[in-house]
Short mmCIF file of all heavy atoms in Angstrom, two decimals:
data_model
loop_
_atom_site.label_atom_id
_atom_site.label_comp_id
_atom_site.label_asym_id
_atom_site.label_seq_id
_atom_site.Cartn_x
_atom_site.Cartn_y
_atom_site.Cartn_z
N PHE A 255 -4.69 -20.14 -7.57
CA PHE A 255 -5.92 -20.43 -6.84
C PHE A 255 -7.10 -20.68 -7.75
O PHE A 255 -7.99 -21.45 -7.41
CB PHE A 255 -6.24 -19.29 -5.88
CG PHE A 255 -5.48 -19.39 -4.61
CD1 PHE A 255 -4.33 -18.63 -4.42
CD2 PHE A 255 -5.88 -20.26 -3.62
CE1 PHE A 255 -3.61 -18.74 -3.26
CE2 PHE A 255 -5.16 -20.37 -2.44
CZ PHE A 255 -4.02 -19.62 -2.26
N VAL A 256 -7.13 -20.04 -8.90
CA VAL A 256 -8.26 -20.24 -9.79
C VAL A 256 -7.95 -21.36 -10.78
O VAL A 256 -8.72 -22.29 -10.96
CB VAL A 256 -8.63 -18.93 -10.53
CG1 VAL A 256 -9.88 -19.13 -11.36
CG2 VAL A 256 -8.84 -17.80 -9.52
N GLY A 257 -6.74 -21.31 -11.38
CA GLY A 257 -6.37 -22.32 -12.35
C GLY A 257 -5.77 -23.58 -11.74
O GLY A 257 -5.62 -24.59 -12.42
N LEU A 258 -5.45 -23.51 -10.45
CA LEU A 258 -4.86 -24.64 -9.71
C LEU A 258 -3.60 -25.22 -10.35
O LEU A 258 -3.30 -26.39 -10.24
CB LEU A 258 -5.90 -25.74 -9.49
CG LEU A 258 -7.03 -25.35 -8.54
CD1 LEU A 258 -8.09 -26.44 -8.49
CD2 LEU A 258 -6.48 -25.08 -7.15
N ASP A 259 -2.86 -24.37 -11.05
CA ASP A 259 -1.56 -24.78 -11.61
C ASP A 259 -0.50 -24.38 -10.59
O ASP A 259 0.11 -23.31 -10.69
CB ASP A 259 -1.36 -24.08 -12.96
CG ASP A 259 0.04 -24.31 -13.50
OD1 ASP A 259 0.74 -25.21 -13.00
OD2 ASP A 259 0.43 -23.57 -14.43
N LEU A 260 -0.29 -25.24 -9.58
CA LEU A 260 0.57 -24.85 -8.46
C LEU A 260 2.02 -24.67 -8.88
O LEU A 260 2.69 -23.73 -8.47
CB LEU A 260 0.45 -25.88 -7.34
CG LEU A 260 -0.95 -26.00 -6.75
CD1 LEU A 260 -1.00 -27.08 -5.69
CD2 LEU A 260 -1.41 -24.67 -6.18
N GLY A 261 2.52 -25.59 -9.72
CA GLY A 261 3.90 -25.48 -10.16
C GLY A 261 4.14 -24.20 -10.95
O GLY A 261 5.11 -23.48 -10.71
N GLY A 262 3.23 -23.91 -11.87
CA GLY A 262 3.38 -22.70 -12.69
C GLY A 262 3.31 -21.45 -11.84
O GLY A 262 4.10 -20.51 -12.01
N SER A 263 2.37 -21.44 -10.87
CA SER A 263 2.24 -20.29 -9.98
C SER A 263 3.50 -20.12 -9.13
O SER A 263 3.99 -19.00 -8.92
CB SER A 263 1.02 -20.47 -9.09
OG SER A 263 0.94 -19.45 -8.15
N ALA A 264 4.05 -21.26 -8.66
CA ALA A 264 5.26 -21.20 -7.84
C ALA A 264 6.43 -20.65 -8.66
O ALA A 264 7.20 -19.82 -8.17
CB ALA A 264 5.60 -22.58 -7.29
N ALA A 265 6.54 -21.10 -9.92
CA ALA A 265 7.61 -20.59 -10.77
C ALA A 265 7.48 -19.09 -10.94
O ALA A 265 8.47 -18.34 -10.91
CB ALA A 265 7.56 -21.29 -12.13
N GLN A 266 6.24 -18.62 -11.09
CA GLN A 266 6.03 -17.17 -11.20
C GLN A 266 6.42 -16.45 -9.92
O GLN A 266 6.99 -15.36 -9.96
CB GLN A 266 4.57 -16.89 -11.51
CG GLN A 266 4.15 -17.33 -12.89
CD GLN A 266 2.68 -17.07 -13.13
OE1 GLN A 266 2.14 -16.05 -12.70
NE2 GLN A 266 2.01 -17.98 -13.80
N SER A 267 6.10 -17.06 -8.77
CA SER A 267 6.50 -16.47 -7.49
C SER A 267 8.01 -16.28 -7.44
O SER A 267 8.51 -15.25 -7.00
CB SER A 267 6.08 -17.37 -6.33
OG SER A 267 4.71 -17.28 -6.10
N VAL A 268 8.73 -17.33 -7.89
CA VAL A 268 10.18 -17.27 -7.84
C VAL A 268 10.69 -16.12 -8.72
O VAL A 268 11.54 -15.33 -8.30
CB VAL A 268 10.80 -18.62 -8.28
CG1 VAL A 268 12.30 -18.51 -8.41
CG2 VAL A 268 10.43 -19.70 -7.28
N VAL A 269 10.14 -16.01 -9.92
CA VAL A 269 10.55 -14.92 -10.82
C VAL A 269 10.26 -13.57 -10.18
O VAL A 269 11.11 -12.67 -10.17
CB VAL A 269 9.83 -15.03 -12.18
CG1 VAL A 269 10.14 -13.82 -13.05
CG2 VAL A 269 10.23 -16.32 -12.89
N LEU A 270 9.07 -13.44 -9.58
CA LEU A 270 8.70 -12.17 -8.96
C LEU A 270 9.60 -11.83 -7.78
O LEU A 270 10.00 -10.68 -7.60
CB LEU A 270 7.26 -12.23 -8.48
CG LEU A 270 6.21 -11.86 -9.51
CD1 LEU A 270 4.83 -11.96 -8.91
CD2 LEU A 270 6.45 -10.45 -10.02
N MET A 271 9.93 -12.84 -6.98
CA MET A 271 10.80 -12.57 -5.83
C MET A 271 12.15 -12.06 -6.30
O MET A 271 12.73 -11.17 -5.68
CB MET A 271 10.94 -13.83 -4.97
CG MET A 271 9.69 -14.08 -4.13
SD MET A 271 9.93 -15.31 -2.84
CE MET A 271 9.59 -16.81 -3.70
#
Side-chain angles (χ1 to χ4, degrees):
Chain A
F255 278 99
V256 185
L258 292 174
D259 172 15
L260 298 178
S263 175
Q266 292 178 38
S267 285
V268 172
V269 173
L270 274 180
M271 284 193 273

